Amino acid sequence: MENVLIIDDNIKFAEDLELLLKSSYKIFRADTSFKGLEILKRNHISVVLLDLQLPDIPGLDMLEKIHSDFDALLPIIIITEYDDIQYVVKAMRLGAFDFLSKDFHVDLMKEKIEQALKQKNLKLRIDGLQNNVSFTDDSFIFACEEMKKINYEISKIANWDFDVLLLGETGVGKDLIASQIYQRSNRKDKPFVPVPLRSLSESVLESELFGHEKGAFTGADRMKIGKFESANKGIVYLPEISNLPENIQLKLLHFMQYKTITRVGHDSRKGELNLDVRLIMATNENLEELVKSGRMREDFYYRILGVNLKIPPLRERIEDVIPLSYYFLNKYSSQFGQMQYQFSDEVLTAFREYEWKGNIRELSNSIKNALTYTNDNILSLKDFPNITGRKNSLHLGLENLLYPDGNYPNFIDFELSNRIFYIKTMLKKAEGKISLAAKLSGLTPQGFRKIMKQLNINQ
Ligand SMILES: Nc1ncnc2c1ncn2[C@@H]1O[C@H](COP(=O)(O)OP(=O)(O)OP(=O)(O)O)[C@@H](O)[C@H]1O
Ligand SMILES: [Mg+2]
């Protein structure tokens, strides 16, 4: 039996809760935060049910304390008397697993505890993987810190039932992440319905999304249900929400607010249709600009921004480049005759330096193309004609990179991880003369020496 700790100063409530749960879990109770911490010290607790209004340490601080002092992965379910969404969202952002108001149904509570236990195991599995590269069940691959955080956010977001907006350049993995949210959510056994909107005209779009009644327009000789209705209890995924006609923006806004729709041509006297659908939306456009130029309604913009996740471009995820490259190499190799393919060292270096404007999609396509045309089982630069030439400016092909006025880019223009390379290159350029290297870098010789020391660079 798993151990569940209830921290709540309302003793009557905690007793009732214990009665309801004690057939399924071993229950511990604490009526102050301090007592809760004592129990956590001495017992292996699997889930904490935490009241936010505690007499000693405030709930939100307690939440952080449990994660920092005991177990960063310990699922904490917030129990709240208040439907203060801002407060709850804060708790969720701080890493709470879920929340329930105090008038919950006991089955719902059990379900949440079970989810929390499952989630904990999944996270342990992902975090525990060797060699620092993580895979989830659906080949979602990443190695960098930033993506580890995002992976954690995905799990959190999956469990809140809010609508979600995914932001990021083309090819960064928004579709993949939408499907990850779905698979980790409690809607995973219900429909997931992606609706690509780009190529459709306004009227087709509207009936595609919301359906139409018989006779709604010429040619509508039968009633048709839309994607929202067919996704009921599940998730509708809109992969590109920029450039939606205003009428559709209004309809979506209405849906997000009231969770109701009307089919095209529906008699308004008959009322609206209630649906339980969660929305995931994505865009690779800059939404502020769309609002400024009047192509997106401001109220729509603010509404969809509610819970959002920004996915960084591949050039800012350098540590992911090599794991992803091998992943695609293995994936496509099997389609090209089971040869043991390899990348040459130059290719791997070039991959890490390249800009990847098309992000992971471009990487994947480049490798697929290379395998299609190569005669060799070692893929070299000539197999990647698109790569040569454009470089990630953070990754300085410094040898050639002289700014028009004769200066090199400044040391401070570079991220920490690139600075070692930068300093070494500058030293080489200056043939080891520190005063010259410093001058080229826009630093004083003392400053340059200090940085060499900090970065552990010897001449
Ligand atoms: N972390 C990852 N691990 C493995 N494959 C990935 C990862 N991220 C993206 N991909 C793959 O890269 C391709 C592009 O990703 P996806 O279609 O999700 O991009 P997108 O952000 O939706 O792009 P667009 O804005 O153009 O629609 C897909 O084939 C996807 O499976
Ligand atoms: Mg997409």
Side-chain angles (χ1 to χ4, degrees), residues 200-210 217 224 248:
L200 304 174
S201 72
E202 177 172 339
S203 57
V204 178
L205 190 57
E206 186 175 350
S207 101
E208 179 79 7
L209 287 171
F210 305 111
F217 44 82
K224 185 183 148 232
I248 303 288

Side-chain angles (χ1 to χ4, degrees), residues 31 140 220 360:
D31 57 3
F140 173 46
I360 296 148

Side-chain angles (χ1 to χ4, degrees), residues 2-14:
E2 304 268 4
N3 293 339
V4 173
L5 168 62
I6 304 170
I7 309 180
D8 197 326
D9 59 335
N10 182 337
I11 296 177
K12 179 82 187 58
F13 174 80

Side-chain angles (χ1 to χ4, degrees), residues 20-50:
L20 292 170
L21 295 175
K22 76 176 186 196
S23 59
S24 318
Y25 310 100
K26 180 159 169 29
I27 303 293
F28 293 77
R29 283 197 280 120
D31 57 3
T32 66
S33 294
F34 282 122
K35 287 186 198 159
L37 293 172
E38 281 305 309
I39 294 175
L40 281 163
K41 263 184 224 157
R42 277 189 239 105
N43 301 279
H44 184 80
I45 300 290
S46 302
V47 177
V48 175
L49 308 179
L50 178 68

Side-chain angles (χ1 to χ4, degrees), residues 217-231:
F217 44 82
T218 340
D221 45 7
R222 269 192 286 165
M223 187 277 274
K224 185 183 148 232
I225 68 164
K227 299 289 190 192
F228 272 87
E229 270 179 82
S230 60

